[in-house]
Amino acid sequence: MADALIIKARPLTAAAFAAYGDVLETRGRASEPMNQGWANRFRDVADVDVADNDGRVGISLVHSRADTTPVQLRLLERHPLGSQIFMPLSAHPFLVVVGVPGDVPSGDQLEAFISDGRQGVNYHKGVWHHPMIALEGASDFLIVDRSGPGNNCDESDIPGSGVEVCV
Amino acid sequence: MADALIIKARPLTAAAFAAYGDVLETRGRASEPMNQGWANRFRDVADVDVADNDGRVGISLVHSRADTTPVQLRLLERHPLGSQIFMPLSAHPFLVVVGVPGDVPSGDQLEAFISDGRQGVNYHKGVWHHPMIALEGASDFLIVDRSGPGNNCDESDIPGSGVEVCV
């Protein structure tokens, strides 16, 4: 795509991702002993926010085929009624492309991150995001998000002449 | 342990585990297309039940060291106010030891299952279970359970002269 905007994906860190949601990882978090010392538990690694409009928590599994970089972005979506966790189960890296809540972001307002394949993400309510982009191999994810009445998915084209993400 | 009762762990299947909770797996479940056909989504693979006594959903990560079989069971626990999901993130098998809700089960009332390392489990509210038993290597899990006021963990010794689980 000749005139496409190119975004370089950055490593996913809690600090860099804070405007968009939570990073589900143990790094940098406090833990407590569990199971008579056989394990350590890291509590509240993500804020599940699904109660709007009589929502409840839904648990899904997803199997995704892999894409190759550079990735041409197709669209953006947001969930106005709830947060959404993607936890990787296959240890493959994946791309996370996000924009802050509000008007549809243009390409130059998007940020791209790469998960190391062990880090999950939780999009906060209303955060614009590209559908997940699995890399390196077909990948499974656990989703924790909202089920319930009402429209909880807005989709939009990305204004402009195309956006690509490279790593 | 000379006089210990020995339980042989069976493969974890949704049918065999139905009295205790849900198996989080794609096998045998219907899916729908997601992300413009790049992925398939398997909805409602577990029933999250955490609302009792003003509960909310909590998301934790757990890092566990591995045990070796035969495993001498140490105790049982149950969560009277909520369900509890353990989703494996490290692809190692783990043991699941359970008893139905009600009085503390004796050893001969327990059942043991082995997850293939991709299957997660959701203990339904009040199901007696041994703390998770990771096998083959240190293992990470995602927990989805209840946070909130009140006592949500009962512990008990196992009546009798000892129970071992073999695979």
Side-chain angles (χ1 to χ4, degrees):
Chain A
M1 197 179 295
D3 298 326
L5 177 71
I6 297 175
I7 303 174
K8 182 162 171 55
R10 293 192 286 159
L12 182 63
T13 67
F17 196 67
Y20 310 106
D22 310 306
V23 177
L24 285 75
E25 63 181 350
T26 58
R27 179 167 34 193
R29 292 182 180 272
S31 68
E32 61 196 59
M34 182 187 191
N35 295 354
Q36 302 80 51
W38 283 77
N40 284 290
R41 179 167 182 164
F42 302 77
R43 286 191 184 268
D44 293 324
V45 297
D47 180 26
V48 174
D49 173 11
V50 297
D52 281 5
N53 198 17
D54 294 326
R56 62 174 181 82
V57 176
I59 306 288
S60 300
L61 292 169
V62 171
H63 181 73
S64 178
R65 59 191 171 99
D67 210 334
T68 52
T69 57
V71 175
Q72 295 187 21
L73 300 187
R74 306 187 296 275
L75 81 170
L76 296 173
E77 60 180 52
R78 66 173 173 185
H79 307 300
L81 298 178
S83 57
Q84 187 175 47
I85 291 172
F86 284 91
M87 191 71 203
L89 305 175
S90 303
H92 291 138
F94 64 99
L95 288 176
V96 177
V97 181
V98 283
V100 296
D103 294 338
V104 179
S106 55
D108 59 359
Q109 294 174 316
L110 296 174
E111 287 199 276
F113 300 94
I114 184 163
S115 160
D116 63 10
R118 293 167 51 88
Q119 301 168 298
V121 294
N122 182 38
Y123 300 121
H124 286 173
K125 193 164 57 181
V127 166
W128 289 102
H129 55 277
H130 192 273
M132 62 179 171
I133 301 165
L135 299 177
E136 294 191 8
S139 300
D140 295 312
F141 297 83
L142 183 76
I143 295 182
V144 181
D145 65 358
R146 179 188 175 279
S147 291
N151 170 50
N152 190 27
C153 190
D154 296 328
E155 286 188 3
S156 175
D157 291 335
I158 305 172
S161 60
V163 184
E164 289 182 2
V165 176
C166 66
V167 294
Chain B
M1 198 178 296
D3 298 327
L5 178 70
I6 297 175
I7 303 175
K8 182 162 170 57
R10 294 192 285 158
L12 182 63
T13 68
F17 197 67
Y20 310 106
D22 311 305
V23 177
L24 285 75
E25 63 181 349
T26 59
R27 179 168 34 193
R29 292 181 179 272
S31 68
E32 61 197 59
M34 182 188 190
N35 294 355
Q36 303 82 48
W38 283 77
N40 285 289
R41 179 168 182 163
F42 302 78
R43 286 189 184 270
D44 293 325
V45 297
D47 180 26
V48 175
D49 174 11
V50 297
D52 281 4
N53 197 19
D54 294 326
R56 62 175 182 81
V57 175
I59 306 289
S60 300
L61 292 168
V62 171
H63 181 73
S64 179
R65 59 191 173 100
D67 210 333
T68 51
T69 56
V71 175
Q72 295 187 21
L73 300 187
R74 306 186 296 275
L75 79 172
L76 296 173
E77 59 181 52
R78 67 173 171 185
H79 307 300
L81 298 178
S83 57
Q84 187 174 47
I85 291 172
F86 283 91
M87 191 71 203
L89 304 175
S90 304
H92 291 138
F94 64 100
L95 288 177
V96 177
V97 181
V98 283
V100 296
D103 294 337
V104 179
S106 54
D108 60 359
Q109 294 173 316
L110 296 174
E111 286 198 276
F113 299 95
I114 184 164
S115 160
D116 64 11
R118 293 168 50 89
Q119 301 168 300
V121 294
N122 182 38
Y123 300 121
H124 286 173
K125 194 164 58 182
V127 165
W128 289 102
H129 55 279
H130 192 272
M132 63 179 172
I133 301 165
L135 299 177
E136 293 191 8
S139 300
D140 296 312
F141 296 83
L142 183 77
I143 295 182
V144 181
D145 65 358
R146 179 188 176 278
S147 291
N151 170 48
N152 190 28
C153 191
D154 296 329
E155 286 189 1
S156 175
D157 291 334
I158 305 172
S161 61
V163 184
E164 289 183 1
V165 176
C166 65
V167 296

Short mmCIF file of all heavy atoms in Angstrom, two decimals, chain A residues 56-61 142-145 147, chain B residues 17 21-26 29 42-49 83-87 120-124 144:
data_model
loop_
_atom_site.label_atom_id
_atom_site.label_comp_id
_atom_site.label_asym_id
_atom_site.label_seq_id
_atom_site.Cartn_x
_atom_site.Cartn_y
_atom_site.Cartn_z
N ARG A 56 -23.43 -9.43 32.32
CA ARG A 56 -22.82 -10.45 33.16
C ARG A 56 -21.51 -10.88 32.50
O ARG A 56 -21.27 -10.58 31.31
CB ARG A 56 -23.76 -11.66 33.33
CG ARG A 56 -24.08 -12.36 32.03
CD ARG A 56 -24.90 -13.64 32.23
NE ARG A 56 -25.15 -14.28 30.93
CZ ARG A 56 -24.29 -15.07 30.31
NH1 ARG A 56 -23.12 -15.35 30.86
NH2 ARG A 56 -24.57 -15.59 29.12
N VAL A 57 -20.68 -11.59 33.22
CA VAL A 57 -19.40 -12.05 32.68
C VAL A 57 -19.61 -13.23 31.75
O VAL A 57 -20.35 -14.17 32.09
CB VAL A 57 -18.47 -12.47 33.82
CG1 VAL A 57 -17.17 -13.04 33.27
CG2 VAL A 57 -18.16 -11.29 34.71
N GLY A 58 -18.98 -13.19 30.61
CA GLY A 58 -18.97 -14.33 29.69
C GLY A 58 -17.55 -14.83 29.50
O GLY A 58 -16.60 -14.05 29.47
N ILE A 59 -17.43 -16.15 29.41
CA ILE A 59 -16.12 -16.79 29.21
C ILE A 59 -16.14 -17.49 27.86
O ILE A 59 -17.00 -18.35 27.61
CB ILE A 59 -15.83 -17.83 30.31
CG1 ILE A 59 -15.97 -17.21 31.70
CG2 ILE A 59 -14.46 -18.46 30.10
CD1 ILE A 59 -14.88 -16.26 32.10
N SER A 60 -15.22 -17.13 26.99
CA SER A 60 -15.14 -17.74 25.66
C SER A 60 -13.73 -18.22 25.40
O SER A 60 -12.76 -17.72 25.98
CB SER A 60 -15.49 -16.72 24.56
OG SER A 60 -16.78 -16.20 24.70
N LEU A 61 -13.62 -19.17 24.49
CA LEU A 61 -12.33 -19.55 23.93
C LEU A 61 -12.32 -19.14 22.46
O LEU A 61 -13.36 -19.16 21.80
CB LEU A 61 -12.10 -21.07 24.04
CG LEU A 61 -11.92 -21.57 25.48
CD1 LEU A 61 -11.98 -23.10 25.50
CD2 LEU A 61 -10.59 -21.09 26.05
N LEU A 142 -8.20 -17.09 25.74
CA LEU A 142 -9.39 -17.05 26.60
C LEU A 142 -9.89 -15.61 26.62
O LEU A 142 -9.10 -14.67 26.80
CB LEU A 142 -9.04 -17.47 28.03
CG LEU A 142 -10.22 -17.52 29.01
CD1 LEU A 142 -11.06 -18.77 28.77
CD2 LEU A 142 -9.74 -17.49 30.46
N ILE A 143 -11.19 -15.44 26.40
CA ILE A 143 -11.82 -14.11 26.47
C ILE A 143 -12.68 -14.05 27.73
O ILE A 143 -13.44 -14.97 28.01
CB ILE A 143 -12.69 -13.83 25.24
CG1 ILE A 143 -11.84 -13.76 23.98
CG2 ILE A 143 -13.47 -12.53 25.42
CD1 ILE A 143 -12.66 -13.44 22.73
N VAL A 144 -12.56 -12.95 28.46
CA VAL A 144 -13.47 -12.64 29.57
C VAL A 144 -14.10 -11.30 29.23
O VAL A 144 -13.40 -10.27 29.22
CB VAL A 144 -12.73 -12.55 30.92
CG1 VAL A 144 -13.71 -12.25 32.05
CG2 VAL A 144 -11.95 -13.83 31.20
N ASP A 145 -15.38 -11.30 28.88
CA ASP A 145 -16.01 -10.03 28.53
C ASP A 145 -17.48 -10.02 28.95
O ASP A 145 -17.88 -10.81 29.80
CB ASP A 145 -15.81 -9.68 27.06
CG ASP A 145 -16.48 -10.63 26.09
OD1 ASP A 145 -17.11 -11.63 26.54
OD2 ASP A 145 -16.40 -10.39 24.88
N SER A 147 -21.56 -10.36 28.53
CA SER A 147 -22.74 -10.86 27.84
C SER A 147 -23.94 -10.10 28.39
O SER A 147 -23.94 -9.72 29.56
CB SER A 147 -22.94 -12.35 28.12
OG SER A 147 -21.95 -13.12 27.50
N PHE B 17 -16.92 -34.76 34.27
CA PHE B 17 -16.73 -33.68 35.24
C PHE B 17 -18.02 -32.92 35.53
O PHE B 17 -18.03 -32.00 36.36
CB PHE B 17 -15.65 -32.72 34.69
CG PHE B 17 -15.06 -31.79 35.72
CD1 PHE B 17 -14.27 -32.27 36.76
CD2 PHE B 17 -15.29 -30.42 35.65
CE1 PHE B 17 -13.71 -31.42 37.70
CE2 PHE B 17 -14.74 -29.56 36.59
CZ PHE B 17 -13.95 -30.06 37.62
N GLY B 21 -18.42 -29.28 37.71
CA GLY B 21 -18.23 -27.98 37.07
C GLY B 21 -18.07 -28.12 35.57
O GLY B 21 -18.53 -29.09 34.96
N ASP B 22 -17.39 -27.13 35.00
CA ASP B 22 -17.23 -27.05 33.55
C ASP B 22 -15.80 -27.36 33.15
O ASP B 22 -14.86 -27.03 33.87
CB ASP B 22 -17.54 -25.62 33.07
CG ASP B 22 -18.85 -25.09 33.62
OD1 ASP B 22 -19.88 -25.76 33.42
OD2 ASP B 22 -18.85 -24.00 34.25
N VAL B 23 -15.64 -27.95 31.97
CA VAL B 23 -14.32 -28.10 31.37
C VAL B 23 -14.20 -27.03 30.28
O VAL B 23 -15.03 -26.95 29.38
CB VAL B 23 -14.14 -29.50 30.77
CG1 VAL B 23 -12.78 -29.61 30.09
CG2 VAL B 23 -14.28 -30.56 31.86
N LEU B 24 -13.17 -26.21 30.38
CA LEU B 24 -12.94 -25.15 29.40
C LEU B 24 -12.09 -25.72 28.28
O LEU B 24 -10.86 -25.87 28.40
CB LEU B 24 -12.24 -23.94 30.04
CG LEU B 24 -13.12 -23.05 30.93
CD1 LEU B 24 -13.40 -23.69 32.26
CD2 LEU B 24 -12.49 -21.67 31.12
N GLU B 25 -12.75 -26.05 27.20
CA GLU B 25 -12.08 -26.63 26.04
C GLU B 25 -12.96 -26.39 24.83
O GLU B 25 -14.15 -26.13 24.96
CB GLU B 25 -11.85 -28.14 26.24
CG GLU B 25 -13.15 -28.93 26.36
CD GLU B 25 -12.93 -30.43 26.59
OE1 GLU B 25 -11.80 -30.89 26.44
OE2 GLU B 25 -13.92 -31.11 26.89
N THR B 26 -12.37 -26.49 23.64
CA THR B 26 -13.13 -26.29 22.41
C THR B 26 -13.75 -27.60 21.91
O THR B 26 -14.76 -27.57 21.20
CB THR B 26 -12.25 -25.70 21.30
OG1 THR B 26 -11.16 -26.59 21.07
CG2 THR B 26 -11.71 -24.34 21.70
N ARG B 29 -17.62 -28.48 21.17
CA ARG B 29 -18.45 -27.28 21.31
C ARG B 29 -18.62 -26.58 19.97
O ARG B 29 -17.73 -26.59 19.13
CB ARG B 29 -17.79 -26.29 22.29
CG ARG B 29 -17.77 -26.78 23.73
CD ARG B 29 -17.14 -25.73 24.63
NE ARG B 29 -17.11 -26.15 26.03
CZ ARG B 29 -18.09 -25.96 26.91
NH1 ARG B 29 -19.20 -25.35 26.52
NH2 ARG B 29 -17.97 -26.36 28.15
N PHE B 42 -15.80 -19.74 20.70
CA PHE B 42 -16.60 -20.74 21.42
C PHE B 42 -17.13 -20.05 22.67
O PHE B 42 -16.37 -19.81 23.61
CB PHE B 42 -15.73 -21.94 21.78
CG PHE B 42 -15.08 -22.60 20.59
CD1 PHE B 42 -13.96 -22.04 19.99
CD2 PHE B 42 -15.58 -23.78 20.07
CE1 PHE B 42 -13.35 -22.63 18.90
CE2 PHE B 42 -14.99 -24.38 18.97
CZ PHE B 42 -13.87 -23.80 18.37
N ARG B 43 -18.39 -19.71 22.68
CA ARG B 43 -18.97 -18.88 23.76
C ARG B 43 -19.40 -19.73 24.95
O ARG B 43 -19.78 -20.88 24.82
CB ARG B 43 -20.19 -18.12 23.25
CG ARG B 43 -19.86 -16.96 22.34
CD ARG B 43 -21.12 -16.12 22.08
NE ARG B 43 -20.83 -15.04 21.13
CZ ARG B 43 -20.42 -13.82 21.49
NH1 ARG B 43 -20.27 -13.52 22.76
NH2 ARG B 43 -20.17 -12.91 20.57
N ASP B 44 -19.37 -19.06 26.11
CA ASP B 44 -19.97 -19.60 27.34
C ASP B 44 -19.45 -20.99 27.67
O ASP B 44 -20.21 -21.92 27.94
CB ASP B 44 -21.50 -19.60 27.21
CG ASP B 44 -22.04 -18.17 27.17
OD1 ASP B 44 -21.47 -17.30 27.84
OD2 ASP B 44 -23.03 -17.94 26.45
N VAL B 45 -18.14 -21.10 27.69
CA VAL B 45 -17.51 -22.39 28.02
C VAL B 45 -17.47 -22.63 29.52
O VAL B 45 -17.10 -23.73 29.96
CB VAL B 45 -16.08 -22.49 27.43
CG1 VAL B 45 -16.14 -22.45 25.91
CG2 VAL B 45 -15.17 -21.39 27.97
N ALA B 46 -17.83 -21.63 30.31
CA ALA B 46 -17.90 -21.80 31.77
C ALA B 46 -18.93 -20.83 32.32
O ALA B 46 -19.12 -19.74 31.78
CB ALA B 46 -16.54 -21.54 32.41
N ASP B 47 -19.55 -21.22 33.41
CA ASP B 47 -20.60 -20.42 34.04
C ASP B 47 -20.01 -19.73 35.28
O ASP B 47 -19.78 -20.38 36.30
CB ASP B 47 -21.76 -21.35 34.43
CG ASP B 47 -22.88 -20.60 35.09
OD1 ASP B 47 -23.03 -19.39 34.84
OD2 ASP B 47 -23.62 -21.23 35.87
N VAL B 48 -19.78 -18.44 35.16
CA VAL B 48 -19.22 -17.67 36.28
C VAL B 48 -20.34 -17.28 37.23
O VAL B 48 -21.30 -16.62 36.82
CB VAL B 48 -18.48 -16.42 35.76
CG1 VAL B 48 -18.01 -15.55 36.93
CG2 VAL B 48 -17.30 -16.82 34.90
N ASP B 49 -20.22 -17.68 38.48
CA ASP B 49 -21.30 -17.56 39.47
C ASP B 49 -20.69 -16.95 40.73
O ASP B 49 -20.22 -17.66 41.62
CB ASP B 49 -21.84 -18.97 39.73
CG ASP B 49 -22.87 -19.03 40.84
OD1 ASP B 49 -23.34 -17.97 41.30
OD2 ASP B 49 -23.19 -20.16 41.26
N SER B 83 -18.01 -19.64 42.10
CA SER B 83 -17.30 -20.57 41.22
C SER B 83 -15.84 -20.14 41.09
O SER B 83 -15.46 -19.03 41.49
CB SER B 83 -17.97 -20.57 39.84
OG SER B 83 -17.99 -19.26 39.30
N GLN B 84 -15.02 -21.01 40.53
CA GLN B 84 -13.59 -20.72 40.40
C GLN B 84 -13.02 -21.43 39.17
O GLN B 84 -13.01 -22.66 39.10
CB GLN B 84 -12.84 -21.18 41.65
CG GLN B 84 -11.37 -20.76 41.67
CD GLN B 84 -10.67 -21.11 42.97
OE1 GLN B 84 -10.80 -22.22 43.46
NE2 GLN B 84 -9.92 -20.16 43.52
N ILE B 85 -12.53 -20.62 38.24
CA ILE B 85 -11.90 -21.14 37.01
C ILE B 85 -10.38 -21.20 37.20
O ILE B 85 -9.78 -20.23 37.67
CB ILE B 85 -12.22 -20.22 35.81
CG1 ILE B 85 -13.69 -20.31 35.43
CG2 ILE B 85 -11.32 -20.56 34.61
CD1 ILE B 85 -14.11 -19.30 34.37
N PHE B 86 -9.79 -22.32 36.78
CA PHE B 86 -8.35 -22.43 36.59
C PHE B 86 -8.08 -22.72 35.11
O PHE B 86 -8.46 -23.79 34.63
CB PHE B 86 -7.75 -23.56 37.43
CG PHE B 86 -7.61 -23.23 38.88
CD1 PHE B 86 -8.62 -23.53 39.77
CD2 PHE B 86 -6.45 -22.62 39.36
CE1 PHE B 86 -8.50 -23.21 41.12
CE2 PHE B 86 -6.32 -22.31 40.71
CZ PHE B 86 -7.34 -22.59 41.58
N MET B 87 -7.45 -21.78 34.43
CA MET B 87 -7.12 -21.99 33.02
C MET B 87 -5.62 -22.12 32.89
O MET B 87 -4.88 -21.20 33.26
CB MET B 87 -7.62 -20.80 32.19
CG MET B 87 -7.57 -21.06 30.70
SD MET B 87 -8.84 -22.27 30.20
CE MET B 87 -8.13 -22.90 28.66
N GLY B 120 -9.03 -26.25 30.77
CA GLY B 120 -9.23 -25.61 32.06
C GLY B 120 -10.42 -26.21 32.77
O GLY B 120 -11.20 -26.99 32.20
N VAL B 121 -10.56 -25.85 34.06
CA VAL B 121 -11.72 -26.31 34.82
C VAL B 121 -12.37 -25.12 35.52
O VAL B 121 -11.71 -24.13 35.86
CB VAL B 121 -11.36 -27.37 35.89
CG1 VAL B 121 -10.88 -28.65 35.23
CG2 VAL B 121 -10.33 -26.84 36.88
N ASN B 122 -13.66 -25.22 35.72
CA ASN B 122 -14.42 -24.28 36.53
C ASN B 122 -15.14 -25.07 37.61
O ASN B 122 -16.07 -25.83 37.32
CB ASN B 122 -15.45 -23.54 35.67
CG ASN B 122 -16.23 -22.50 36.46
OD1 ASN B 122 -15.68 -21.83 37.33
ND2 ASN B 122 -17.52 -22.36 36.15
N TYR B 123 -14.69 -24.93 38.86
CA TYR B 123 -15.38 -25.57 39.98
C TYR B 123 -16.67 -24.81 40.25
O TYR B 123 -16.63 -23.58 40.48
CB TYR B 123 -14.53 -25.53 41.25
CG TYR B 123 -13.19 -26.21 41.15
CD1 TYR B 123 -12.02 -25.50 41.37
CD2 TYR B 123 -13.11 -27.56 40.85
CE1 TYR B 123 -10.79 -26.12 41.29
CE2 TYR B 123 -11.88 -28.19 40.77
CZ TYR B 123 -10.72 -27.46 40.99
OH TYR B 123 -9.50 -28.08 40.91
N HIS B 124 -17.77 -25.47 40.27
CA HIS B 124 -19.00 -24.82 40.65
C HIS B 124 -18.98 -24.52 42.15
O HIS B 124 -18.23 -25.12 42.92
CB HIS B 124 -20.21 -25.67 40.26
CG HIS B 124 -20.48 -25.66 38.78
ND1 HIS B 124 -21.42 -26.45 38.17
CD2 HIS B 124 -19.91 -24.93 37.77
CE1 HIS B 124 -21.43 -26.22 36.86
NE2 HIS B 124 -20.52 -25.31 36.60
N VAL B 144 -10.29 -17.13 37.48
CA VAL B 144 -11.45 -16.24 37.45
C VAL B 144 -12.35 -16.70 38.58
O VAL B 144 -12.93 -17.80 38.50
CB VAL B 144 -12.20 -16.31 36.11
CG1 VAL B 144 -13.40 -15.35 36.11
CG2 VAL B 144 -11.27 -16.02 34.94
#
